[in-house]
Amino acid sequence: MKIGEIAKQTGLKVETVRFYEAEGLIDPPLRSGGNYRLYGRSHLDRLSFIKRSRDLGFTLDQVRALLRLSDDPRASCDEVDAIAEEHIAVIDRKLADLNALRSEIVTWGGSCKASSIAECKVMDALTSSRASVTT
């Protein structure tokens, strides 16, 4: 299949497919007589794995490591477990940050009974936060 078709089937952009190829995450595809890239089932499977991993928040380096590990099905799963544990820690930190942010926004919104933007506590809190970050 040509690059547009594999991009469509995987939900990736054509540029992203080219990027993953340039990064060495997928093998270079064969070329047609007209010099079009021709991708096979192995490319589709690998690109689908990459997309799913990226959608779940794995870094490009982690995806690269997972792909390397997937190339040797007899290898120990210990390194995969370590990558997963590292990613879980990142997810836990993000969840804690998001919960703290949610609580803060709920507090702002719950206390705002203003009738105009000039009196809005949410807008005031955002402005105050911005001012404290830039000073």
Side-chain angles (χ1 to χ4, degrees), residues 5-89:
E5 186 178 344
I6 199 162
K8 184 177 180 181
Q9 285 193 28
T10 58
L12 295 168
K13 294 181 180 180
V14 168
E15 296 81 13
T16 305
V17 174
R18 286 189 190 117
F19 172 76
Y20 290 152
E21 181 185 341
E23 287 291 310
L25 297 175
I26 62 170
D27 291 332
L30 298 174
R31 296 285 184 149
S32 70
N35 206 29
Y36 290 104
R37 290 175 170 92
L38 298 176
Y39 296 90
R41 181 69 196 190
S42 64
H43 292 106
L44 179 64
D45 292 344
R46 200 157 174 104
L47 286 168
S48 296
F49 180 92
I50 294 167
K51 180 166 186 337
R52 178 77 173 136
S53 299
R54 296 292 287 151
D55 286 349
L56 292 173
F58 286 94
T59 67
L60 205 51
D61 285 339
Q62 288 171 325
V63 171
R64 188 175 281 111
L66 291 168
L67 286 168
R68 179 183 48 77
L69 291 165
S70 74
D71 289 338
D72 184 6
R74 294 180 316 249
S76 168
C77 193
D78 291 345
E79 195 172 344
V80 174
D81 291 342
I83 292 168
E85 289 296 324
E86 177 185 333
H87 192 55
I88 289 169

